[in-house]
Amino acid sequence: MAGNKSYTIVEYFGGDDGYRCGYCKNEKGNFSHGMWSHTMTVQDYQDLIDRGWRRSGKYVYKPIMNKTCCPQYTIRCHALKFQPSKSHKKILKKISKFISKGELPKGQDDGEPMDSVCEEAGPRDLSKVCHSEVKCAAVTDIQKEVAECPAVTEVQKEVAEAAPTCSETSRKDPVSVPDGRTTATAPKPGVGADASRPPCRKAKDLRKERRLQKEQMRHDAAGVSSIVSPTPPTPTQTNQPKPLEDFINELLPDNSSHCLEVRLVPVSFEDPQFTASYQQSVALYARYQMAIHGDDPSDCSESEFRRFLCDSPLEAEYSPDGPEVGYGSFHQQYWLDGRIVAVGVIDILPTCVSSVYLYYHPDFASLSLGSYSALREIAFTRQLQKQSPKLSYYYLGFYIHSCPKMRYKGQYRPSDLLCPETFVWVPIERCVPQLENSRYARFNQDPDAG
């Protein structure tokens, strides 16, 4: 590289040969274009993923959508408009209960694959793909900002929500009768609640009642009328749902059983935090791959880990209007009581955070770490957007409707899918009906577009 110029240098590989699909297991049904990227600017990679490309290490590939057996549509979530669903809140509460009380849920997670954004990225044997001298070059020439960036550590304790006052499964809901009254269903022996006792109530309602009772007692002691009216809620309280950050950042008790820290570490062997935790990350990756994916030890060696999750074509870049941590590839490490239990691999790009991969300790599979890490990464995107206004999207990789276990990515709403022909973003609600009828679909309905 000359001066302060930054370049993208790639070698293209054809997409004529089919290879094994990791989703439907078709031995020759997966087709994609591919190229080996020696180096790449973050803006060029942003432009590529907005045209349906994606990286695995330094190998960058694009499925041939109308030919491949399981079409893979790029999906992005509007991070600023995101609101956690009921299932997302349940996962956040499950994590906080574990942190505060040390109770690890039994069994697996709620049915979502735990590698939240794991892709089959084309041919696994990329050793043949190219470590030669540069043969073709130069897509782009962009001025590079030169700056020093301090090491960044994000440390946050998690949420502890009050548990319900009684289990929903311990009672039957009242059954409606024609005249509008309700009658309790007689419980079977050993099942259901005692109909002679008061019904269970939500913890939120009980807390509100206790608060009003205390307020009334204070007024009585001061000689004020015993009739106390609750303060009417403000429009903000009534119209705006609780944001994601409130669930994540709520304080835990001082005597919590565990301590969870989330650290953002640049993928660089010149970074002291990255090098200090490298061997621990390698061991965690191997343990995850063997336990969760059934890999042979030779398939998850240190060299494979380095090729897949450490080697990145993205050059670290800094911009005056960009985030303080800069752009490039990072590991978001989840430290529990002083050891790494999960790592989310992400790329920070000019307009998005792109999730690459997640691996975690198998002993914590029941904590739904795939969903939890995605929620944390959405919150992180929102944090970066305050520093860089155009960085407002969270990319989850590929949405594969023909593979039911990969449909969960569509639960992070609002989200869009990329039209494979016109490369415009279309709300997922408009895309799913088409994908129900056909694996491959053009989402843009404008016949003149593209």
Side-chain angles (χ1 to χ4, degrees):
M1 268 178 226
N4 60 355
K5 296 288 185 180
S6 186
Y7 301 91
T8 290
I9 303 173
V10 300
E11 293 183 62
Y12 176 74
F13 296 89
D16 296 332
D17 296 331
Y19 51 89
R20 186 176 185 274
C21 174
Y23 302 106
C24 70
K25 311 305 179 186
N26 187 318
E27 290 298 327
K28 294 290 184 179
N30 200 348
F31 291 87
S32 69
H33 299 287
M35 54 189 179
W36 186 264
S37 178
H38 295 269
T39 184
M40 183 173 289
T41 65
V42 291
Q43 184 59 59
D44 282 346
Y45 186 54
Q46 178 73 68
D47 293 339
L48 282 170
I49 64 174
D50 286 336
R51 304 281 289 190
W53 291 78
R54 184 154 177 80
R55 77 174 185 89
S56 173
K58 289 190 173 184
Y59 184 72
V60 186
Y61 64 102
K62 180 183 185 298
I64 303 176
M65 299 291 281
N66 58 358
K67 187 177 181 181
T68 193
C69 53
C70 296
Q72 303 165 54
Y73 300 89
T74 303
I75 181 170
R76 71 178 187 182
C77 170
H78 295 252
L80 300 185
K81 298 178 182 178
F82 173 80
Q83 285 295 335
S85 66
K86 185 176 180 181
S87 62
H88 294 148
K89 294 174 186 176
K90 181 179 177 182
I91 289 166
L92 292 169
K93 290 179 181 180
K94 179 166 60 174
I95 293 284
S96 65
K97 186 175 181 181
F98 168 70
I99 298 298
S100 61
K101 299 182 180 180
E103 298 177 11
L104 193 64
K106 295 181 179 180
Q108 288 295 319
D109 67 339
D110 303 320
E112 176 182 314
M114 293 305 295
D115 53 320
S116 71
V117 280
C118 167
E119 319 294 352
E120 289 288 336
R124 283 298 294 269
D125 185 10
L126 296 180
S127 59
K128 302 176 182 178
V129 166
C130 149
H131 300 282
S132 59
E133 294 298 320
V134 177
K135 296 178 182 176
C136 64
V139 180
T140 264
D141 181 350
I142 294 180
Q143 183 79 21
K144 184 178 181 181
E145 298 291 342
V146 180
E148 291 295 323
C149 176
V152 176
T153 300
E154 179 194 355
V155 180
Q156 293 180 338
K157 282 197 171 185
E158 311 311 320
V159 185
E161 285 286 310
T165 55
C166 68
S167 170
E168 292 181 0
T169 58
S170 67
R171 62 180 173 89
K172 292 279 187 178
D173 291 329
V175 179
S176 298
V177 293
D179 64 359
R181 296 172 297 169
T182 59
T183 179
T185 303
K188 296 178 182 179
V191 179
D194 186 347
S196 65
R197 300 181 62 184
C200 295
R201 299 170 61 189
K202 290 185 177 180
K204 180 179 179 181
D205 294 336
L206 292 173
R207 289 196 300 271
K208 183 177 179 181
E209 184 177 304
R210 286 195 296 269
R211 186 170 64 251
L212 291 175
Q213 288 174 347
K214 289 180 181 179
E215 187 176 347
Q216 183 170 335
M217 290 173 65
R218 286 196 299 270
H219 279 71
D220 289 344
V224 184
S225 170
S226 61
I227 302 176
V228 178
S229 299
T231 304
T234 63
T236 302
Q237 292 173 321
T238 56
N239 298 334
Q240 302 218 355
K242 187 175 179 179
L244 174 62
E245 289 77 5
D246 284 4
F247 287 98
I248 291 177
N249 297 329
E250 196 167 325
L251 293 177
L252 287 167
D254 293 334
N255 60 345
S256 294
S257 298
H258 300 290
C259 178
L260 179 67
E261 300 176 13
V262 180
R263 304 177 186 175
L264 183 71
V265 180
V267 180
S268 168
F269 286 96
E270 297 178 0
D271 182 84
Q273 288 191 76
F274 181 79
T275 53
S277 59
Y278 179 74
Q279 290 301 327
Q280 193 176 163
S281 289
V282 172
L284 180 64
Y285 168 76
R287 190 166 186 170
Y288 167 81
Q289 292 295 131
M290 289 187 287
I292 304 301
H293 293 291
D295 282 5
D296 187 85
S298 62
D299 294 329
C300 43
S301 62
E302 187 271 340
S303 59
E304 180 69 11
F305 170 77
R306 184 165 181 160
R307 179 201 67 77
F308 180 33
L309 298 177
C310 298
D311 289 347
S312 170
L314 302 181
E315 296 286 335
E317 298 181 28
Y318 304 93
S319 172
D321 60 350
E324 293 177 6
V325 298
Y327 301 113
S329 298
F330 296 82
H331 283 187
Q332 201 161 39
Q333 301 173 336
Y334 295 78
W335 289 74
L336 181 70
D337 303 330
R339 64 168 177 157
I340 302 176
V341 296
V343 177
V345 184
I346 60 174
D347 294 329
I348 300 178
L349 304 175
T351 66
C352 76
V353 169
S354 175
S355 190
V356 178
Y357 199 70
L358 173 81
Y359 56 98
Y360 61 88
H361 197 295
D363 288 354
F364 301 100
S366 61
L367 288 176
S368 304
L369 293 175
S371 297
Y372 180 69
S373 66
L375 295 170
R376 290 296 301 242
E377 288 166 10
I378 291 172
F380 180 56
T381 304
R382 290 153 67 124
Q383 177 186 335
L384 295 181
Q385 193 274 338
K386 295 177 181 178
Q387 305 167 9
S388 182
K390 63 182 180 180
L391 203 165
S392 60
Y393 294 100
Y394 174 62
Y395 284 47
L396 294 95
F398 287 136
Y399 175 84
I400 309 167
H401 193 79
S402 59
C403 181
K405 72 175 183 178
M406 299 302 291
R407 293 182 186 179
Y408 72 91
K409 295 184 182 183
Q411 297 172 3
Y412 298 89
R413 304 285 180 95
S415 58
D416 305 318
L417 298 185
L418 186 68
C419 177
E421 295 183 14
T422 63
F423 304 111
V424 299
W425 295 99
V426 180
I428 193 170
E429 295 86 355
R430 287 168 45 189
C431 303
V432 168
Q434 293 177 261
L435 295 175
E436 290 288 343
N437 296 324
S438 173
R439 291 190 174 200
Y440 174 77
R442 171 191 167 117
F443 301 137
N444 189 347
Q445 298 302 305
D446 181 359
D448 298 326

